[in-house]
Amino acid sequence: MASRQVPVRLKTLSLNSTIIRATCTLPLASQYPIIKYHPLSTPYRHLSSAPHRQLSSAPQTSSAATFDTARPPPSPPSPPPAPISPDTSHPLSCLPLSVLVRNIAITSLTSNRILLPPSLKLLSAIAYSTHPLLRPSSNPLLRYLLKRTLFAQFCAGETPAEVRATLAGLRRWGIEGILLGWAREVEQRGSGTYESSSSPLVETEADKREIEEWVAGTQQALAMASARDCVCIKFTGTGALNLTALATNRPPTPTLASGLEEVAREARERDITLVVDAEQQAIQAGIYAWTLDLARRFNTSRAFIVGTYQAYLKATPQRLADDLAEASRGGFALGIKLVRGAYLGSDPRELMHDCKEDTDAAYDRVAEGIMRRSWTLLPPPTSPAAPGKEGLKFPEVCLVLATHNSTSSRRAMQIRAGQAANHEVRVPMVYAQLMGMADHVSCELVARRRQADKETEVVRVGKGSGLHRLDQSTGRHGEEVERPRPYKYLVWGSVDECLKYLVRRAEENRDAVARTEEGRVLLWKELRRRVFG
């Protein structure tokens, strides 16, 4: 059969920020059990046999987030509490002074409509130049300047030692976990078009080397991450041949299929979650198919594989509803990283919502549907079994709420605070922002988490354990409290590799970086507070 050429426009390093399994030991009094919390796994897992303080004689049941076809439907949503308001206790105080000053400098540049365009052109010229003077790897002065500014702001490091130091610094100022991705880009061949035919895709030695390098890089990221972290992967980094497979919605090549199996098994053994980033629509259907196939095989106990859903696409609610139905029928958990989207400059405009307000509304509605485990907030699945009919249950899910929007973040906290106050089961969930961006959102989450830790103790109440407000004067426990968990997405790699990532992010978020007024105001306010008191 004659082959035809399928054009695939590639921007391989869009960040669709995502997460996942965190383990943290809460500070408890000696009479309470030590508990490890896994945000996207079992909500509360007891690690000691010490007796629990009983506040109710109700029978105990498990609250594990593994898929359970016998689980009763969720209780009706409770009336929300008072809206979450911005934190007023200086949440940005958790930032080191050097990070605060660098944040102010870079956000001032990226929000300047006059300076931003020429800055992007200069950065792009450096990133893609072959001239030795414009390559950081061959120009020590240029490398030094970039590494101390943009690289330090947005990237984790070049070596394992640098990456671990960056991760330790983030945890010191209150970030609970990270999403670590390799900043490698696939090298396009020829004109960037790839053959599509019914014949099998034949791997050459060059194709196999590309895949093996990608597998090795992903395994190196797994080695740098811990059980409270996750590793993000991009299928486009596996090479040109598998881009053809994605574009034509075919399975991965044999070498990649074996490599994915190896990587997923290692991640599960290390208790790390793999987050598959979304990419351009020309290949996204293939990415969805590969991700769901991995989820069927590895999400039997909890969501080790997490897919990314972009709310700026009109079809996303339907896609998510169909995948939820598939998970329900297949008996596996569905990992969901919800982002607004980053391919405004390359995806077909007709696939997107007409305005930002529509995207915001879609994002918040989908997020609420997942948090409440409610079919009614999503379209009916395009399957024989409709919601509520023929026994189709809402599957076990975990959610990575990836957003730089403080309104969406506070809305989610409000919903989960209402669920906690009414002792409703909450889905495993974390919040995520890009490193170097939206620190005012991350720091507010850190402040609210620390406030929850200060006011609460972990005790057993009725059907499970939770954080309950403690009255210090009487020693009595009151309502259950939500404890938000902030994460950051970072990339690692050489300065040359990460420059291409920075250019992609700046181009794909040209409008977003100009909408940083709230963050800039709070950063300057915090600096004035530290200088003048």
Side-chain angles (χ1 to χ4, degrees):
M1 178 182 294
S3 64
R4 59 186 179 85
Q5 299 294 312
V6 177
V8 179
R9 295 177 60 199
L10 295 179
K11 287 190 177 179
T12 62
L13 280 175
S14 164
L15 179 60
N16 295 288
S17 318
T18 112
I19 289 180
I20 306 322
R21 183 158 178 150
T23 303
C24 64
T25 302
L26 301 176
L28 305 175
S30 60
Q31 69 266 33
Y32 296 112
I34 296 176
I35 293 175
K36 281 190 176 180
Y37 183 86
H38 302 260
L40 299 183
S41 176
T42 48
Y44 294 98
R45 180 176 295 173
H46 299 272
L47 301 181
S48 75
S49 57
H52 301 285
R53 174 175 295 183
Q54 295 286 343
L55 298 186
S56 170
S57 59
Q60 175 184 345
T61 61
S62 172
S63 59
T66 54
F67 183 83
D68 181 5
T69 56
R71 179 173 180 167
S75 56
S78 58
I84 296 289
S85 59
D87 188 88
T88 57
S89 59
H90 314 297
L92 287 171
S93 61
C94 66
L95 289 180
L97 180 60
S98 59
V99 174
L100 178 66
V101 172
R102 190 176 63 222
N103 254 331
I104 291 174
I106 291 179
T107 56
S108 297
L109 171 64
T110 57
S111 61
N112 190 303
R113 297 183 182 276
I114 297 176
L115 295 178
L116 181 58
S119 299
L120 287 179
K121 288 183 180 179
L122 176 61
L123 185 62
S124 182
I126 294 173
Y128 294 98
S129 174
T130 57
H131 196 286
L133 290 178
L134 293 179
R135 294 188 65 85
S137 56
S138 56
N139 185 333
L141 178 59
L142 179 61
R143 180 179 180 276
Y144 178 86
L145 292 174
L146 289 171
K147 190 164 184 178
R148 294 300 183 274
T149 54
L150 293 176
F151 187 92
Q153 178 74 1
F154 299 106
C155 304
E158 293 186 276
T159 66
E162 290 179 353
V163 171
R164 292 189 178 100
T166 300
L167 304 188
L170 287 172
R171 290 194 174 99
R172 278 195 298 272
W173 60 270
I175 297 300
E176 285 207 5
I178 61 99
L179 304 95
L180 184 62
W182 185 20
R184 177 195 181 186
E185 291 194 24
V186 65
E187 294 295 331
Q188 298 187 46
R189 298 176 184 175
S191 62
T193 59
Y194 304 93
E195 288 192 355
S196 167
S197 73
S198 59
S199 59
L201 299 174
V202 179
E203 292 180 321
T204 65
E205 290 303 314
D207 294 321
K208 292 179 180 179
R209 281 196 300 272
E210 280 186 311
I211 296 169
E212 289 166 358
E213 289 172 2
W214 181 86
V215 171
T218 303
Q219 290 175 323
Q220 190 171 0
L222 288 170
M224 291 186 286
S226 70
R228 68 172 59 196
D229 300 325
C230 74
V231 168
C232 299
I233 59 176
K234 283 183 172 290
F235 289 142
T236 51
T238 60
L241 188 64
N242 279 289
L243 289 173
T244 302
L246 287 169
T248 55
N249 207 6
R250 284 190 278 176
T253 59
T255 302
L256 179 56
S258 175
L260 286 173
E261 184 83 11
E262 182 180 351
V263 165
R265 289 188 182 280
E266 182 175 345
R268 185 166 61 182
E269 290 171 1
R270 292 176 176 268
D271 203 14
I272 295 171
T273 300
L274 290 179
V275 179
V276 181
D277 283 337
E279 303 190 53
Q280 291 173 303
Q281 287 305 292
I283 54 176
Q284 187 58 43
I287 293 174
Y288 280 135
W290 291 10
T291 304
L292 208 59
D293 179 66
L294 286 170
R296 288 189 189 95
R297 290 182 284 140
F298 290 94
N299 287 4
T300 53
S301 59
R302 68 111 170 159
F304 283 97
I305 308 297
V306 172
T308 300
Y309 297 83
Q310 302 179 96
Y312 77 159
L313 297 173
K314 296 176 182 177
T316 290
Q318 187 64 65
R319 160 65 67 173
L320 181 57
D322 290 344
D323 288 354
L324 287 166
E326 180 66 19
S328 178
R329 290 191 296 267
F332 60 90
L334 190 68
I336 302 161
K337 183 184 75 173
L338 186 62
V339 302
R340 277 173 167 78
Y343 290 97
L344 287 167
S346 57
D347 281 344
R349 185 64 185 87
E350 64 273 13
L351 300 180
M352 307 175 198
H353 288 292
D354 297 334
C355 60
K356 181 182 181 299
E357 291 73 19
D358 289 349
T359 297
D360 291 343
Y363 185 95
D364 290 338
R365 183 176 178 84
V366 168
E368 182 173 2
I370 299 166
M371 285 186 282
R372 296 196 187 281
R373 303 181 75 248
S374 171
W375 287 114
T376 60
L377 294 171
L378 297 169
T382 53
S383 63
K389 297 179 181 179
E390 301 182 22
L392 184 63
K393 300 180 182 297
F394 204 96
E396 295 300 327
V397 295
C398 71
L399 175 61
V400 179
L401 194 75
T403 181
H404 292 176
N405 187 300
S406 57
T407 300
S408 292
S409 176
R410 291 168 190 154
R411 188 175 187 275
M413 284 191 282
Q414 175 187 346
I415 291 171
R416 289 177 67 83
Q419 291 177 318
N422 288 278
H423 307 294
E424 297 173 14
V425 175
R426 282 160 286 161
V427 303
M429 174 178 151
V430 295
Y431 301 79
Q433 292 81 42
L434 292 169
M435 177 176 171
M437 297 180 70
D439 281 345
H440 64 292
V441 176
S442 301
C443 288
E444 182 178 336
L445 291 163
V446 169
R448 294 189 184 282
R449 183 203 53 141
R450 287 175 171 169
Q451 185 67 23
D453 288 345
K454 186 184 302 183
E455 296 178 350
T456 60
E457 287 184 328
V458 180
V459 295
R460 183 172 298 284
V461 177
K463 294 185 178 181
S465 296
L467 287 166
H468 290 260
R469 201 175 304 280
L470 174 67
D471 187 329
Q472 298 290 346
S473 61
T474 65
R476 300 183 64 179
H477 295 83
E479 66 179 10
E480 190 173 354
V481 176
E482 166 67 5
R483 183 181 185 271
R485 286 165 168 79
Y487 278 61
K488 281 289 191 181
Y489 185 115
L490 313 87
V491 297
W492 70 280
S494 69
V495 175
D496 292 69
E497 289 173 331
C498 289
L499 271 178
K500 294 181 176 66
Y501 158 77
L502 294 173
V503 171
R504 300 293 190 192
R505 293 307 307 160
E507 289 178 347
E508 293 159 0
N509 293 275
R510 186 185 297 264
D511 295 331
V513 294
R515 293 194 300 268
T516 57
E517 181 64 25
E518 180 185 9
R520 291 199 309 278
V521 169
L522 292 173
L523 288 168
W524 278 107
K525 181 178 178 181
E526 175 62 20
L527 182 61
R528 286 194 296 270
R529 185 188 70 83
R530 295 191 192 189
V531 174
F532 301 109

